[in-house]
Structure formats: structure tokens, C-alpha cells
Amino acid sequence: MGTILIIILTIALLQSEVQSKVDGNWTDWSTWSACAITCGNTTQTRSRACTNPPAADNGTDCEGTSDDYQPCLREPCPVDGNWTDWSSWSACSVTRGSATKTRIRTCISPPPAHKGTECEGASEDYKSCVHKPCRGWGPWSEWSSCSSTSGVGIQHRNRSWYSWPSFTSIDDLCDGDYTDVQICMPSAFDGGWTQWSSWSTCSVTCGIGLNQRTRSCTNPRPSTFGHHCEGPNIDVAICNKQHCPTSVRLRDGLLEIYVNGQWGTVCDDEFDSNDAKVACRMLGFDNTQTARLRSDVVRGNVSMPIWLDDLRCNGNEDSLLECSHNGVGTHNCNHSKDVGLVC
Ligand SMILES: *[C@@H]1O[C@H](CO)[C@@H](O)[C@H](O)[C@H]1NC(C)=O
Ligand SMILES: *[C@@H]1O[C@H](CO)[C@@H](O)[C@H](O)[C@H]1NC(C)=O
Ligand SMILES: *[C@@H]1O[C@H](CO)[C@@H](O)[C@H](O)[C@H]1NC(C)=O
Ligand SMILES: *[C@@H]1O[C@H](CO)[C@@H](O)[C@H](O)[C@H]1NC(C)=O
Ligand SMILES: *[C@@H]1O[C@H](CO)[C@@H](O)[C@H](O)[C@H]1NC(C)=O
Ligand SMILES: *[C@@H]1O[C@H](CO)[C@@H](O)[C@H](O)[C@H]1NC(C)=O
Ligand SMILES: *[C@@H]1O[C@H](CO)[C@@H](O)[C@H](O)[C@H]1NC(C)=O
Ligand SMILES: [Ca+2]
């Protein structure tokens, strides 16, 4: 009678525990947030919460995300035109009998786009100047460097005149421009590689690892209109091929391998002379012709892991771990199939 009561109570308790479990459920999505722009692009969001009901008493949480996004695309925004900086003043020049200096600017920084406004004001500016008499032009100077290093700019060159000893009449003035102005792009120069860094340390201390060296396209960094460096910025090489000294051992003929800080055994499924060759190589026997399975060994005991199963080495590997296998610790063997070995 007492026993039955206890069983009934237990069942009731279990049921109440099962029933009290509540899985989470999402609320409905909120409405989309407003698309509060008149031009350009943005995103709209909506959200929901896992409170309808919330998960309780070990019930599962809601699946999926609580936020959702959609793009809101409008016409491109208007771009108002903007003047470049003024060029420098030209030297004094005589045009139609009056001496002036000139400077220019253009509406390309940026040009107007998408119904943006034109630049306001004049693209040329003059001021009068005092002019000296001359008897002819000298050669043009080199072009000045571009006024902008990242976009469109202006550059100029000058020439000078040979002056008379004294001014006689307006006809002695040099006619024409003293300064020549043109639109320019900043000079494009290509990037160059730095030297390779030194090799990083090997990723392993024994066995096969990788190391790398790097370089960057900053010697120099390419200018806005220059080319990026060609080729990879990373170089990877195989390193440190010494055998790991303690990675395998034979104990009374039983092959043991050290993985994850623990000695374990190898299953003989698929184990053939190629696999034996690699194991013997790890033991320091290179190119042994006599590597073979040995059956008269004391098998590993149940407290040892079986690390490798279905080994398929081609015989050239430096470690059994490089051969195809089921994955470290994955096997369908017991210790009666442990590999024993003769090298
Ligand atoms: C989750 O909530 C929605 C909206 O309130 C409802 O339609 C749905 O039936 C609920 N699902 C569960 C499993 O409670
Ligand atoms: C806006 O989105 C459109 C379509 O995806 C794209 O072509 C355009 O470049 C975007 N404009 C801006 C200013 O991001
Ligand atoms: C939730 O699960 C844990 C571990 O399974 C258990 O110890 C705990 O009592 C459970 N809590 C509830 C309220 O069921
Ligand atoms: C207009 O161009 C000048 C240089 O040409 C620049 O310094 C300035 O930031 C530009 N202004 C705008 C609004 O683009
Ligand atoms: C040209 O002349 C102007 C005005 O005299 C001066 O500021 C500028 O440096 C000269 N430019 C060159 C390239 O010689
Ligand atoms: C089983 O193997 C482990 C690890 O090699 C060893 O420490 C232990 O003494 C062995 N036990 C028996 C009963 O052989
Ligand atoms: C290993 O498994 C085989 C069958 O797969 C079984 O006959 C044998 O008794 C097992 N050996 C041990 C030591 O568990
Ligand atoms: Ca197997």
C-alpha cells in the first residue's frame, strides 16, 4: 500500500514537472520603423520579443532573431556644385591695353549632380597691376604641383619677360599671358611592397607545421589613382620536419601513440605494411623493409583510449596522424584489435 502511494506521488511529481515546462513563443512583429528620409538609402527595422510567453522551467527558447531589417531606397540625394580653390594669381599681363592679374576656379569639386545647384559666382577673377616694358618672353617654367592630392586640382606655370632698360610706350609691353593654368589630377604612383617580414615561428615544435611571412603594400602606399601591388602579401611554408620524439612507442610489441596528452592504441582495421612503415619511421627506422604486424602482443587495457582506426597511409608520411583515418578517437574497435608491430 505504502509503495503504491509513493509510486503514485512520484508519477504526479514527474507529471507536474513536465507540465510546468513552458516553451518560449514570439510576440507578433512590431510595425516597420518609419523610413524618415527623402533621399538616399537607409534601413527600416521591426522587432519582436520572446515573451508570448517567455520560456520557463527549462522550456526551449524562441528560435530565430528578434530584429528584422529591410532596405528603404529613395532617389539619390542632390549634390550641389562646389568651386575648386582659386588658382594662384597669374603674373601681370597685358590684354587689350590693360595690365591685369588673373586667377580661375572651376565648378568640379564636386560638379552639381541629381538636381543640385550650380556654383554661384564667377569662374575668373581679375585685378589690375603695374606692368613693366619687355622685349619678349622667356621660356615657360615647369608646371607647379597639383593643388589637390586626392581629387581634381589646378596647376600652373609661368614665364617671364625680358625688360627694356626703360619704359617707352604701351607697345613695348608684352602681350599675352604670363601664367598658364590647367586642370590636373594628382600624380598617380603605384604601390610597392615592403621587404618580407622574417618567418614566423613554426606552428608546431615537432612534426609538420607551417610558418609564414608577410609584407604590405606600403612602400609606398599607392596614391588614389595608382595601382595596388601585385601578388600575395603572405607566404606560407612547411617547417620543422623532425619527428616528434615521444609521439609513438612500442611496449612489448604493442604500438602506442601519444595524442592529446595521453597514450592510446591503434586499431588494426585496414592496417597494412604502408601503415607499419610510417609507424616504424616515427620510431626512427627509416625505410624499413620488414615492417609488419605482430599478433603475439599484450593488448592495451580498457583504461587506454583507441586513438586511430581505419588507417590508410601511402607510406611516405612522417606521422600516422597525416594519414587518412576516422578522426582521432573515432573507431568501432575494441582492444582485441590493437596493433602490434615489428620494425
Ligand atoms: C505563438 O504566438 C502566436 C501569436 O500570438 C500564436 O498565433 C501562436 O499560436 C503561438 N504559438 C504557440 C505554440 O503558442
Ligand atoms: C542606394 O541603393 C541603390 C540600390 O541598392 C544603389 O544603387 C545606390 O548606390 C544606393 N545609394 C547610396 C547613396 O548608397
Ligand atoms: C531544469 O533542468 C535542470 C537540469 O536538467 C534541473 O536541475 C532543474 O531542476 C530543472 N528546473 C526546473 C524548474 O524544472
Ligand atoms: C568645396 O571644395 C573645397 C576645395 O576645393 C573644399 O575644401 C570644400 O570642403 C568643398 N566643400 C564642399 C561642401 O564640398
Ligand atoms: C608663378 O607666379 C606666381 C605669382 O608670381 C607665383 O606665386 C608662383 O609660385 C609661380 N609659379 C611657378 C611654378 O613658378
Ligand atoms: C592500463 O594502462 C594504463 C596506461 O598505460 C596503466 O597505467 C595501467 O597500469 C594499466 N592497467 C593494467 C591493469 O594493466
Ligand atoms: C571485442 O569484440 C569482439 C567482437 O567484435 C568480441 O568477440 C571480443 O570478445 C571483444 N573483446 C574484448 C576484449 O572485449
Ligand atoms: Ca574500423
Side-chain angles (χ1 to χ4, degrees), residues 249 251 256 301 303-304:
R249 67 183 181 191
R251 283 208 311 170
E256 296 183 358
N301 68 44
S303 66
M304 290 185 91

Side-chain angles (χ1 to χ4, degrees), residues 269-272 274-275 309-315 317 320 322-326:
D269 286 351
E270 306 286 338
F271 198 92
D272 64 14
N274 283 336
D275 308 314
D309 180 24
D310 296 338
L311 265 179
R312 285 184 197 85
C313 304
N314 61 34
E317 295 88 347
L320 291 175
E322 288 164 39
C323 306
S324 153
H325 56 80
N326 286 347

Side-chain angles (χ1 to χ4, degrees), residues 62 97 158 226 249 255 270 330 343:
C62 299
N158 299 336
R249 67 183 181 191
L255 176 64
E270 306 286 338
T330 306
C343 287

Side-chain angles (χ1 to χ4, degrees), residues 82-90 101-107 109 119-127 144-148 152-156 179 181-183:
N82 183 32
W83 292 113
T84 58
D85 292 336
W86 285 108
S87 70
S88 53
W89 286 104
S90 70
K101 290 183 169 198
T102 317
R103 58 178 188 169
I104 64 165
R105 57 182 182 175
T106 52
C107 188
S109 178
C119 297
E120 273 181 30
S123 65
E124 285 185 40
D125 189 18
Y126 302 94
K127 66 178 178 185
S144 66
S145 57
C146 199
S147 65
S148 162
V152 181
I154 283 174
Q155 64 183 170
H156 67 275
T179 294
V181 183
Q182 69 178 14
I183 303 295

Side-chain angles (χ1 to χ4, degrees), residues 135-183:
R135 57 186 163 112
W137 292 110
W140 286 111
S141 68
E142 295 289 308
W143 286 104
S144 66
S145 57
C146 199
S147 65
S148 162
T149 54
S150 57
V152 181
I154 283 174
Q155 64 183 170
H156 67 275
R157 59 180 184 170
N158 299 336
R159 57 182 176 174
S160 53
W161 61 92
Y162 302 113
S163 58
W164 289 106
S166 65
F167 178 83
T168 49
S169 85
I170 192 84
D171 294 334
D172 295 326
L173 302 183
C174 292
D175 206 350
D177 288 330
Y178 286 70
T179 294
D180 189 8
V181 183
Q182 69 178 14
I183 303 295

